[in-house]
Amino acid sequence: AAVTTVAMWKAIALIGLAGAEAFVVVSSSPRERSVGTQLASEYGASARTRTQDDYIDINRESGGPIVRYDGPTIRPLSNIRAPSLNEIWESTMPVIVQGGSLRTWSFANPQVDAVQVLFKSEGRPIDADIDLWNGPDNTPHKMRVYVEDGARRTFSAIIGTPRGPNSIAVRNIGQLEFPLDAVVRPDMQDGLAASIASVVSKAEVIQGGSVRTWSFNPVVQSVAVIIKTDGRPLNSRIELLMGPNNSKQVVEIYTEDGVERPFFAIVETPEAVGSVIRIKNTAPLEFPVYASVAPYTLGEYDFVGDSYSFNEWPMM
Protein backbone atom coordinates (compact mmCIF):
# COMPACT_ATOMS: atom_id res chain seq x y z
CA ALA A 1 0.00 0.00 0.00
CA ALA A 2 2.88 2.33 0.81
CA VAL A 3 4.47 1.67 -2.60
CA THR A 4 1.18 2.42 -4.34
CA THR A 5 0.83 5.78 -2.48
CA VAL A 6 4.38 6.91 -3.44
CA ALA A 7 3.79 6.04 -7.10
CA MET A 8 0.53 8.01 -7.11
CA TRP A 9 2.20 11.20 -5.75
CA LYS A 10 4.97 10.97 -8.35
CA ALA A 11 2.38 10.80 -11.11
CA ILE A 12 0.58 13.89 -9.77
CA ALA A 13 3.88 15.86 -9.66
CA LEU A 14 4.68 14.99 -13.28
CA ILE A 15 1.22 16.09 -14.44
CA GLY A 16 1.63 19.43 -12.54
CA LEU A 17 4.96 20.19 -14.17
CA ALA A 18 3.61 19.47 -17.62
CA GLY A 19 0.62 21.74 -17.04
CA ALA A 20 2.81 24.65 -15.78
CA GLU A 21 4.71 24.80 -19.08
CA ALA A 22 1.56 26.13 -20.72
CA PHE A 23 1.85 29.38 -18.71
CA VAL A 24 5.54 30.05 -19.52
CA VAL A 25 6.40 32.50 -22.33
CA VAL A 26 9.92 32.02 -23.60
CA SER A 27 11.61 35.15 -24.98
CA SER A 28 12.14 34.99 -28.72
CA SER A 29 15.28 37.19 -28.57
CA PRO A 30 18.42 35.16 -29.26
CA ARG A 31 20.41 37.47 -26.96
CA GLU A 32 18.20 36.83 -23.93
CA ARG A 33 16.53 33.61 -22.77
CA SER A 34 14.66 34.76 -19.69
CA VAL A 35 11.02 34.35 -18.74
CA GLY A 36 8.82 37.43 -19.28
CA THR A 37 5.20 38.48 -18.94
CA GLN A 38 2.89 39.19 -21.86
CA LEU A 39 2.99 42.98 -21.21
CA ALA A 40 6.79 43.04 -21.24
CA SER A 41 7.00 40.92 -24.38
CA GLU A 42 4.76 43.38 -26.26
CA TYR A 43 7.37 46.16 -25.70
CA GLY A 44 10.37 43.94 -26.40
CA ALA A 45 11.79 43.99 -22.89
CA SER A 46 12.09 41.33 -20.25
CA ALA A 47 10.33 41.69 -16.93
CA ARG A 48 13.25 40.18 -15.00
CA THR A 49 16.43 41.24 -16.75
CA ARG A 50 17.42 44.02 -19.15
CA THR A 51 20.07 44.12 -21.81
CA GLN A 52 22.32 47.05 -22.64
CA ASP A 53 19.97 48.08 -25.47
CA ASP A 54 17.16 48.74 -22.99
CA TYR A 55 18.98 51.77 -21.51
CA ILE A 56 19.39 55.24 -23.01
CA ASP A 57 22.82 56.83 -22.99
CA ILE A 58 22.34 60.19 -21.24
CA ASN A 59 25.93 61.33 -21.85
CA ARG A 60 26.73 61.94 -18.19
CA GLU A 61 30.34 62.88 -18.83
CA SER A 62 29.33 65.84 -21.01
CA GLY A 63 26.77 67.28 -18.61
CA GLY A 64 23.55 65.44 -19.42
CA PRO A 65 21.29 64.91 -22.41
CA ILE A 66 20.06 68.49 -22.72
CA VAL A 67 23.04 70.83 -22.74
CA ARG A 68 26.80 70.59 -22.70
CA TYR A 69 28.14 73.84 -21.26
CA ASP A 70 31.88 74.51 -21.19
CA GLY A 71 31.59 78.31 -21.16
CA PRO A 72 30.29 80.42 -24.02
CA THR A 73 32.36 82.12 -26.66
CA ILE A 74 32.14 85.86 -25.94
CA ARG A 75 31.71 88.41 -28.73
CA PRO A 76 31.65 92.15 -27.94
CA LEU A 77 29.15 94.33 -29.78
CA SER A 78 31.11 97.57 -29.44
CA ASN A 79 33.06 98.83 -32.44
CA ILE A 80 35.61 100.49 -30.13
CA ARG A 81 38.58 98.39 -29.14
CA ALA A 82 38.38 98.99 -25.41
CA PRO A 83 39.91 96.50 -22.97
CA SER A 84 37.48 93.85 -21.79
CA LEU A 85 36.72 93.33 -18.12
CA ASN A 86 38.91 90.22 -18.02
CA GLU A 87 41.81 92.13 -19.57
CA ILE A 88 41.45 94.87 -16.98
CA TRP A 89 41.56 92.39 -14.11
CA GLU A 90 44.55 90.57 -15.61
CA SER A 91 46.57 93.75 -16.25
CA THR A 92 45.82 95.61 -13.00
CA MET A 93 46.79 94.70 -9.46
CA PRO A 94 43.59 94.90 -7.35
CA VAL A 95 43.47 96.34 -3.87
CA ILE A 96 41.94 94.14 -1.18
CA VAL A 97 39.35 96.01 0.91
CA GLN A 98 38.59 94.08 4.07
CA GLY A 99 35.13 94.09 5.61
CA GLY A 100 34.47 97.31 7.53
CA SER A 101 37.48 99.17 6.09
CA LEU A 102 37.85 102.23 3.83
CA ARG A 103 40.24 102.80 0.91
CA THR A 104 40.68 105.96 -1.15
CA TRP A 105 42.17 106.78 -4.56
CA SER A 106 43.11 110.36 -5.50
CA PHE A 107 43.33 111.79 -9.03
CA ALA A 108 45.02 115.18 -9.11
CA ASN A 109 45.36 115.33 -12.89
CA PRO A 110 42.56 117.56 -14.27
CA GLN A 111 42.62 115.64 -17.56
CA VAL A 112 41.11 112.59 -15.82
CA ASP A 113 37.40 113.26 -16.34
CA ALA A 114 36.19 109.67 -15.71
CA VAL A 115 37.25 106.78 -13.48
CA GLN A 116 36.66 103.05 -13.79
CA VAL A 117 35.52 101.28 -10.60
CA LEU A 118 35.51 97.46 -10.59
CA PHE A 119 34.71 95.03 -7.77
CA LYS A 120 34.93 91.27 -7.46
CA SER A 121 35.29 88.63 -4.76
CA GLU A 122 36.01 84.94 -4.37
CA GLY A 123 32.34 84.05 -4.71
CA ARG A 124 31.15 85.79 -1.56
CA PRO A 125 28.66 88.68 -1.45
CA ILE A 126 29.77 92.25 -2.06
CA ASP A 127 28.24 95.10 -0.07
CA ALA A 128 30.01 98.43 -0.51
CA ASP A 129 29.61 102.20 -0.66
CA ILE A 130 31.31 104.34 -3.33
CA ASP A 131 31.71 108.10 -2.83
CA LEU A 132 33.17 110.77 -5.09
CA TRP A 133 34.87 113.48 -3.04
CA ASN A 134 35.26 116.82 -4.83
CA GLY A 135 36.64 119.24 -2.27
CA PRO A 136 35.94 119.40 1.45
CA ASP A 137 32.53 118.09 2.50
CA ASN A 138 31.36 117.84 -1.11
CA THR A 139 30.12 114.44 -2.33
CA PRO A 140 28.46 114.94 -5.72
CA HIS A 141 28.20 111.22 -6.52
CA LYS A 142 27.26 108.28 -4.26
CA MET A 143 26.56 104.62 -4.91
CA ARG A 144 25.51 101.65 -2.83
CA VAL A 145 26.45 98.32 -4.42
CA TYR A 146 25.26 94.81 -3.57
CA VAL A 147 26.29 91.70 -5.52
CA GLU A 148 25.19 88.23 -4.47
CA ASP A 149 28.18 86.42 -6.02
CA GLY A 150 31.23 88.59 -6.66
CA ALA A 151 33.01 85.93 -8.70
CA ARG A 152 30.19 85.13 -11.10
CA ARG A 153 28.99 88.73 -11.53
CA THR A 154 31.63 91.40 -11.07
CA PHE A 155 30.69 95.04 -10.64
CA SER A 156 31.87 97.55 -13.27
CA ALA A 157 30.94 101.23 -13.43
CA ILE A 158 32.25 104.55 -14.70
CA ILE A 159 32.19 107.64 -12.47
CA GLY A 160 32.51 111.08 -14.00
CA THR A 161 35.22 113.22 -12.37
CA PRO A 162 35.14 116.65 -14.07
CA ARG A 163 37.00 119.62 -12.62
CA GLY A 164 39.65 117.75 -10.65
CA PRO A 165 41.25 117.01 -8.33
CA ASN A 166 38.88 114.26 -7.15
CA SER A 167 39.03 111.27 -4.84
CA ILE A 168 37.19 107.95 -4.91
CA ALA A 169 36.34 106.39 -1.55
CA VAL A 170 35.36 102.72 -1.32
CA ARG A 171 34.00 101.41 1.97
CA ASN A 172 33.33 97.71 2.40
CA ILE A 173 30.30 97.66 4.69
CA GLY A 174 30.19 93.88 4.73
CA GLN A 175 31.45 91.71 7.54
CA LEU A 176 35.13 91.02 8.14
CA GLU A 177 34.78 87.60 6.50
CA PHE A 178 33.72 89.19 3.18
CA PRO A 179 36.66 91.07 1.63
CA LEU A 180 36.51 92.41 -1.91
CA ASP A 181 39.02 93.17 -4.65
CA ALA A 182 38.80 96.70 -6.03
CA VAL A 183 40.32 98.30 -9.13
CA VAL A 184 40.03 102.07 -9.52
CA ARG A 185 41.82 103.61 -12.51
CA PRO A 186 41.35 106.43 -15.03
CA ASP A 187 39.06 105.87 -17.99
CA MET A 188 40.73 107.30 -21.07
CA GLN A 189 39.23 108.43 -24.37
CA ASP A 190 38.85 104.91 -25.80
CA GLY A 191 37.92 103.30 -22.51
CA LEU A 192 34.86 101.61 -21.13
CA ALA A 193 32.68 104.73 -21.24
CA ALA A 194 33.15 105.14 -24.99
CA SER A 195 32.65 101.41 -25.51
CA ILE A 196 29.39 101.43 -23.52
CA ALA A 197 28.09 104.49 -25.38
CA SER A 198 28.78 102.86 -28.75
CA VAL A 199 26.31 99.97 -28.21
CA VAL A 200 23.27 101.98 -27.05
CA SER A 201 21.00 103.57 -29.64
CA LYS A 202 18.09 105.15 -27.77
CA ALA A 203 17.05 106.35 -24.35
CA GLU A 204 13.72 105.98 -22.58
CA VAL A 205 12.24 108.48 -20.16
CA ILE A 206 11.52 107.19 -16.66
CA GLN A 207 9.42 109.63 -14.67
CA GLY A 208 9.91 110.07 -10.94
CA GLY A 209 8.60 107.05 -9.03
CA SER A 210 8.22 104.93 -12.20
CA VAL A 211 9.76 101.55 -13.00
CA ARG A 212 11.03 100.23 -16.34
CA THR A 213 12.24 96.71 -17.14
CA TRP A 214 14.29 95.17 -19.96
CA SER A 215 14.38 91.42 -20.64
CA PHE A 216 17.33 89.66 -22.28
CA ASN A 217 17.76 86.19 -23.73
CA PRO A 218 20.42 83.65 -22.69
CA VAL A 219 22.86 84.65 -25.43
CA VAL A 220 23.41 88.05 -23.77
CA GLN A 221 26.41 87.75 -21.43
CA SER A 222 26.57 91.38 -20.28
CA VAL A 223 24.41 94.50 -20.56
CA ALA A 224 25.39 98.16 -20.99
CA VAL A 225 23.47 100.66 -18.85
CA ILE A 226 23.52 104.46 -19.12
CA ILE A 227 21.39 106.74 -16.91
CA LYS A 228 21.47 110.53 -17.16
CA THR A 229 19.29 113.61 -16.71
CA ASP A 230 18.96 117.06 -18.25
CA GLY A 231 21.08 118.62 -15.51
CA ARG A 232 18.87 117.78 -12.55
CA PRO A 233 19.88 115.42 -9.73
CA LEU A 234 19.72 111.70 -10.45
CA ASN A 235 18.32 109.16 -7.95
CA SER A 236 17.80 105.64 -9.26
CA ARG A 237 17.90 101.99 -8.31
CA ILE A 238 19.15 99.33 -10.75
CA GLU A 239 18.49 95.62 -10.20
CA LEU A 240 19.49 92.45 -12.01
CA LEU A 241 16.65 89.96 -11.57
CA MET A 242 16.77 86.18 -12.03
CA GLY A 243 13.22 85.12 -11.34
CA PRO A 244 10.42 86.91 -9.46
CA ASN A 245 12.00 89.55 -7.19
CA ASN A 246 15.24 87.56 -6.96
CA SER A 247 17.85 90.31 -7.07
CA LYS A 248 21.36 89.16 -7.97
CA GLN A 249 22.81 92.66 -8.18
CA VAL A 250 21.52 95.98 -6.84
CA VAL A 251 22.97 99.47 -7.35
CA GLU A 252 21.52 102.61 -5.74
CA ILE A 253 22.77 105.83 -7.33
CA TYR A 254 22.78 109.50 -6.40
CA THR A 255 24.32 112.09 -8.71
CA GLU A 256 24.23 115.83 -8.16
CA ASP A 257 24.18 116.57 -11.90
CA GLY A 258 23.07 113.88 -14.34
CA VAL A 259 24.75 115.62 -17.31
CA GLU A 260 28.22 116.15 -15.90
CA ARG A 261 28.24 112.87 -13.97
CA PRO A 262 25.98 110.32 -15.71
CA PHE A 263 25.96 106.67 -14.67
CA PHE A 264 27.70 104.16 -16.94
CA ALA A 265 27.86 100.47 -16.02
CA ILE A 266 28.32 96.96 -17.39
CA VAL A 267 26.05 94.37 -15.75
CA GLU A 268 27.18 90.79 -16.27
CA THR A 269 24.49 88.16 -16.97
CA PRO A 270 26.45 84.90 -17.28
CA GLU A 271 23.60 82.44 -16.62
CA ALA A 272 22.16 80.34 -19.45
CA VAL A 273 18.69 81.69 -18.67
CA GLY A 274 16.95 84.96 -19.37
CA SER A 275 17.79 88.05 -17.31
CA VAL A 276 15.83 91.18 -16.45
CA ILE A 277 17.19 94.65 -15.76
CA ARG A 278 14.85 96.75 -13.63
CA ILE A 279 15.41 100.50 -13.17
CA LYS A 280 13.37 102.57 -10.74
CA ASN A 281 13.50 106.35 -10.57
CA THR A 282 13.42 106.95 -6.83
CA ALA A 283 13.24 110.75 -7.22
CA PRO A 284 10.00 112.79 -7.14
CA LEU A 285 7.89 113.27 -10.24
CA GLU A 286 9.67 116.51 -11.18
CA PHE A 287 13.00 114.71 -11.74
CA PRO A 288 12.81 112.34 -14.73
CA VAL A 289 15.80 110.32 -15.91
CA TYR A 290 16.83 108.99 -19.32
CA ALA A 291 17.87 105.34 -19.33
CA SER A 292 19.58 103.39 -22.11
CA VAL A 293 19.96 99.61 -21.80
CA ALA A 294 21.41 97.39 -24.54
CA PRO A 295 23.34 94.12 -24.90
CA TYR A 296 27.10 94.60 -24.53
CA THR A 297 28.55 91.13 -25.17
CA LEU A 298 27.01 87.96 -26.60
CA GLY A 299 27.82 84.31 -25.99
CA GLU A 300 27.62 81.14 -28.06
CA TYR A 301 26.44 77.92 -26.41
CA ASP A 302 27.04 74.36 -27.63
CA PHE A 303 24.12 71.93 -27.31
CA VAL A 304 24.35 68.17 -27.68
CA GLY A 305 24.24 67.42 -31.37
CA ASP A 306 24.08 71.03 -32.50
CA SER A 307 25.50 74.53 -32.08
CA TYR A 308 23.57 77.78 -31.91
CA SER A 309 25.19 80.87 -33.37
CA PHE A 310 24.89 84.48 -32.25
CA ASN A 311 22.15 85.44 -34.69
CA GLU A 312 19.73 82.56 -34.08
CA TRP A 313 18.37 84.03 -30.83
CA PRO A 314 16.81 87.48 -30.46
CA MET A 315 18.72 89.50 -27.87
CA MET A 316 15.73 91.21 -26.25
Side-chain angles (χ1 to χ4, degrees):
V3 175
T4 303
T5 303
V6 171
M8 181 181 64
W9 283 110
K10 287 183 178 181
I12 293 174
L14 291 175
I15 294 173
L17 290 175
E21 292 180 357
F23 299 96
V24 176
V25 179
V26 181
S27 175
S28 60
S29 173
R31 301 174 57 182
E32 179 184 358
R33 305 297 297 179
S34 63
V35 177
T37 63
Q38 182 178 1
L39 181 63
S41 63
E42 290 178 355
Y43 290 93
S46 171
R48 296 185 181 180
T49 61
R50 294 175 181 263
T51 63
Q52 187 66 25
D53 295 338
D54 295 326
Y55 293 92
I56 300 175
D57 184 10
I58 62 172
N59 202 5
R60 292 184 178 89
E61 295 181 357
S62 62
I66 298 193
V67 63
R68 179 175 63 251
Y69 174 67
D70 295 326
T73 303
I74 303 300
R75 186 187 73 174
L77 295 178
S78 174
N79 53 11
I80 296 178
R81 183 58 184 95
S84 65
L85 298 181
N86 291 333
E87 293 173 349
I88 293 176
W89 283 109
E90 292 174 357
S91 61
T92 308
M93 180 65 68
V95 175
I96 300 178
V97 184
Q98 300 291 342
S101 62
L102 171 70
R103 296 299 300 267
T104 61
W105 290 258
S106 297
F107 301 92
N109 189 349
Q111 295 182 354
V112 178
D113 57 358
V115 174
Q116 302 173 4
V117 179
L118 291 81
F119 293 160
K120 74 174 183 178
S121 69
E122 297 180 352
R124 300 181 180 183
I126 294 176
D127 198 357
D129 284 337
I130 306 173
D131 293 340
L132 171 64
W133 294 345
N134 182 243
D137 298 328
N138 182 23
T139 308
H141 193 138
K142 296 181 179 181
M143 280 192 291
R144 172 73 180 272
V145 178
Y146 168 77
V147 182
E148 184 185 65
D149 187 341
R152 192 168 182 81
R153 305 174 199 86
T154 63
F155 171 78
S156 309
I158 311 298
I159 297 179
T161 57
R163 299 187 303 275
N166 296 273
S167 297
I168 300 295
V170 175
R171 183 185 298 275
N172 186 352
I173 59 178
Q175 299 180 2
L176 183 64
E177 296 82 5
F178 300 133
L180 63 87
D181 295 341
V183 169
V184 180
R185 69 176 199 171
D187 186 70
M188 297 305 171
Q189 184 176 2
D190 293 335
L192 287 181
S195 180
I196 293 172
S198 66
V199 301
V200 299
S201 59
K202 62 179 181 179
E204 298 191 19
V205 180
I206 304 178
Q207 300 292 341
S210 300
V211 179
R212 179 71 170 87
T213 60
W214 290 261
S215 300
F216 295 91
N217 280 326
V219 294
V220 178
Q221 293 296 294
S222 62
V223 177
V225 179
I226 299 178
I227 304 178
K228 59 183 180 180
T229 67
D230 55 1
R232 305 178 190 183
L234 187 155
N235 287 274
S236 297
R237 177 185 175 95
I238 303 173
E239 296 176 277
L240 171 63
L241 303 177
M242 305 292 297
N245 293 324
N246 184 13
S247 299
K248 299 297 184 181
Q249 184 169 332
V250 181
V251 182
E252 296 180 352
I253 316 160
Y254 164 74
T255 300
E256 185 179 67
D257 189 333
V259 172
E260 289 188 341
R261 299 180 179 88
F263 176 75
F264 285 68
I266 299 175
V267 181
E268 294 185 330
T269 57
E271 286 81 2
V273 295
S275 303
V276 176
I277 298 293
R278 181 168 65 185
I279 298 179
K280 180 178 180 180
N281 186 354
T282 57
L285 182 63
E286 297 82 9
F287 298 94
V289 301
Y290 305 93
S292 302
V293 180
Y296 186 72
T297 58
L298 302 182
E300 185 178 52
Y301 294 90
D302 292 330
F303 292 82
V304 172
D306 202 351
S307 177
Y308 290 83
S309 64
F310 298 112
N311 298 323
E312 292 184 10
W313 289 62
M315 291 181 291
M316 298 180 65

